[in-house]
Amino acid sequence: MRIAVVGSGYVGLVAGACFADLGHDVIVVDNDQQKLAALRNGDVPIHEKFLPELLSRHRGQRLQFSDDLKEAARVSSAIFVAVGTPPTESGEADLSYVESVAREISGGIEDYKVIVEKSTVPVYTSEWIRKIILRNGTDPDLFDVASNPEFLREGTAVTDFMFPDRIVTGCDSPRAAEVLRQVYLPLTDGSYYSRADAIPQPDRAQIPPPIIVTSTKSAELIKHASNAFLAMKISFINAVASVCESVGADVNQVVHGIGTDSRIGPRFLNPGIGYGGSCFPKDIMAFRSVAREFGYDFRLLDEVMKINEDQRQRFVRKVHHALWTLRGKHLGVLGLAFKGGTDDIRESPALAIVQLLLQEGSKIAAYDPAAMDRTREILKNGITFANSAYDAARDADALLILTEWEEFANLDLARLRGELKYPIVIDGRNLYDPEMMAAQGFTYYSVGRAASHPDGVPAAVSKNGKKA
Ligand code: UGA
C-alpha cells in the first residue's frame, strides 16, 4: 500500500519507518527543508531504540522524504496526519497545522483516500477535517476521515508500534475500515512476527495484536481517555505515597498489595516526582478543555494536574529537610530527561526541580546519559554538566536522583559514597531499597517510604506526621 505520513516529528517519523518495515511504500512529508535534508542524509533526529536501524533499512527505498504534500496525497491511499497540536495559552489544542494540512490535501484527491488522524486531537477534529476538505471542492465520495491513535511511549516507540496491546481504528465507513485493516494486516495476521529481521519481541507482547474498530469520535476519545487514565494512576499513587509518608507506611508495599489485584494491575503505579513529557501534561489539559467546551466539568483532571505539580514542591521540601538551607549547597543531580531512555526534556519534572533548586541558590552538577545537550541550551547559570554519575556526585552535599534511567539503579554504591562530601541520597524515583542504602552507609530519602540512616535507626515521625 502507498502511504503518506504528514509531519516528521516523533510520531510521524516512527510511524513512517514502521509502516515501511511492514512492507508499505511510504512518503514522509514535512515543510522543514533542513529537517528533510538531514533525514535524507541519514541523520536520526530523535533518541529512539531501533529507529536508526529501520531508517537505514528503508531510506531511499520504501521510505521517501518530501515537501510536496499534494503530490504525496495524490499517490497514496492512506494519508496519516502526524503534525503537532501544541497547547494554546488556555490549554486547548492548537489545530491550525491540522487545518492547513487538510486544506492542502484536498488538492491531491483524485481517487478514494482515507485521511487518518495520528496526532492526538480533540474529539470533534475529524468533523472539521471533513468540512475543510469538502469546502475546498472535493467530492464527498472520494474520501473518509478516520482516527488511528498511537499509544507509543518515547524510548520504546518502535517496539510499541510493532507489538501494540491493541490497534484502534476509528472509522465511520466500512471502506475506510478496510483500508486501515490492510495497513496493519502484517501485524494482525502475525506474518510480521515470523520474519527473521522483525524487531525483537518484548516481554508481555500479545501477538498477534487485536484490532478494535470504533467510530471516529470514539477513537479520538480513546486516546485522550487513555492518557488521562494513565496520568490519573500516577497522581493517585503519588497521593497515596504522601499519605504513606505521613503515617509511616511503605508505598512500595502498598503498590504490591494493590497492583496484584488484576482489576488494578501493577503498571504505571511507580510513585515519584510526577509525570512530564510532551504528551500527558498537554493531553490532560486538552481533554479537560474539550470536556468543558461540551458542557462537562471534568474536575477529576484538575486534581490529577494539581497532585502532579505538588510532587515537585514536595521533593524540594524533602531536599530542604535533608540539608536545611540550600543557598550555596553543591548538589549532584542524576537525570534531566522527563523519563529514562529518552533525551526529551519537554515538561520534565527533573528539570523543573533543578530550576527550583537553582532559584534557591544551589549549585548543581548534573548528569544524564542523553539529555545534557538539550538542557545546556536552556540552562546556563549555576549548573555544570558531568561526565558520569560519579562525576556529578563528586564533593556534593547530597545526590538527587530525578530520572528513572536504568543505569542510575545500578550504581557502584561504595564508589558513590566515596565521591560524595556527605553520603546523602534523595531519590525521586525510588530506585533503591532504603534498608540496603542504610547498610551501605547512606542517609537515604525516597518517595512514600521512611528515610533510612546508616546507624539503622529509622527516621522518627514527629507530631505533625513529618519525618525527622
Ligand atoms: C505516554 C503514554 O504512555 C503513551 O501510551 C502515549 O502514546 C504517549 O504518552 C503519547 O501520547 O504520545 P510517554 O509520554 O512517552 O508516553 O511517557 P510515559 O512512559 O507514559 O511516561 C510519562 C511520564 O510519567 C514520565 O515522566 C514518567 O517518568 C512518569 N511515570 C510513568 C511515573 O511517574 N510513574 C509511572 O508509573 C509511569
Side-chain angles (χ1 to χ4, degrees), residues 41-366:
N41 228 355
D43 291 2
V44 185
I46 50 175
H47 184 89
E48 199 61 60
K49 206 168 172 192
F50 302 122
L51 187 61
E53 287 91 322
L54 290 193
L55 289 177
S56 74
R57 199 181 282 177
H58 301 297
R59 185 187 297 113
Q61 296 171 43
R62 263 192 234 136
L63 183 61
Q64 307 285 341
F65 298 100
S66 164
D67 62 350
D68 192 345
L69 175 54
K70 203 167 145 187
E71 177 59 15
R74 201 183 63 76
V75 299
S76 302
S77 315
I79 303 150
F80 286 80
V81 182
V83 294
T85 54
T88 61
E89 291 268 305
S90 58
E92 292 158 27
D94 174 355
L95 298 170
S96 54
Y97 298 116
V98 176
E99 181 178 352
S100 64
V101 166
R103 223 178 306 134
E104 224 176 311
I105 287 175
S106 41
I109 301 183
E110 293 165 2
D111 54 4
Y112 179 73
K113 312 205 175 288
V114 185
I115 291 100
V116 193
E117 299 165 351
K118 198 74 177 146
S119 320
T120 303
V121 290
V123 63
Y124 50 80
T125 309
S126 56
E127 278 180 5
W128 268 110
I129 295 178
R130 185 168 181 79
K131 263 189 228 167
I132 298 295
I133 296 178
L134 288 174
R135 210 175 264 173
N136 282 277
T138 307
D139 179 344
D141 290 337
L142 287 187
F143 77 99
D144 277 305
V145 181
S147 163
N148 170 223
E150 52 84 19
F151 304 103
L152 316 177
R153 289 161 302 168
E154 283 189 32
T156 54
V158 170
T159 301
D160 289 344
F161 190 101
M162 295 305 196
F163 298 89
D165 287 348
R166 78 297 203 192
I167 296 162
V168 174
T169 58
C171 309
D172 297 327
S173 82
R175 212 174 167 193
E178 179 54 23
V179 170
L180 282 171
R181 198 183 69 82
Q182 290 294 336
V183 168
Y184 287 104
L185 195 59
L187 297 182
T188 54
D189 71 4
S191 56
Y192 177 76
Y193 307 111
S194 55
R195 274 175 34 190
D197 63 350
I199 294 297
Q201 183 178 332
D203 298 341
R204 276 195 297 253
Q206 185 184 337
I207 52 175
I211 188 159
I212 299 173
V213 184
T214 69
S215 71
T216 310
K217 279 188 182 155
S218 298
E220 290 171 323
L221 212 70
I222 285 168
K223 172 66 193 193
H224 266 161
S226 296
N227 274 3
F229 193 87
L230 292 170
M232 181 183 74
K233 255 186 131 175
I234 298 169
S235 280
F236 178 82
I237 206 60
N238 282 333
V240 171
S242 300
V243 178
C244 287
E245 286 178 13
S246 306
V247 301
D250 179 329
V251 72
N252 279 24
Q253 293 178 358
V254 175
V255 166
H256 184 60
I258 63 176
T260 38
D261 183 328
S262 59
R263 292 168 302 175
I264 297 173
R267 295 173 75 191
F268 269 71
L269 283 179
N270 296 323
I273 52 174
Y275 61 79
S278 64
C279 303
F280 284 175
K282 163 174 91 81
D283 290 354
I284 312 311
M285 274 200 302
F287 194 26
R288 170 82 175 94
S289 153
V290 76
R292 184 184 289 131
E293 199 180 329
F294 287 88
Y296 182 69
D297 189 13
F298 210 149
R299 290 189 302 270
L300 176 64
L301 297 182
D302 287 337
E303 208 47 49
V304 169
M305 291 188 271
K306 191 167 175 303
I307 293 169
N308 198 53
E309 284 298 317
D310 285 351
Q311 262 339 76
R312 302 165 183 193
Q313 304 292 344
R314 285 183 72 88
F315 186 83
V316 172
R317 284 205 294 276
K318 220 168 263 176
V319 182
H320 268 291
H321 189 71
L323 299 179
W324 191 16
T325 64
L326 294 185
R327 181 160 302 285
K329 289 269 160 71
H330 286 261
L331 303 175
V333 162
L334 300 188
L336 298 162
F338 83 96
K339 66 170 189 177
T342 174
D343 60 349
D344 198 340
I345 53 169
R346 284 176 289 175
E347 300 287 329
S348 166
L351 210 63
I353 287 172
V354 165
Q355 279 164 320
L356 290 170
L357 296 169
L358 288 172
Q359 277 163 21
E360 298 223 24
S362 298
K363 304 242 176 307
I364 307 260

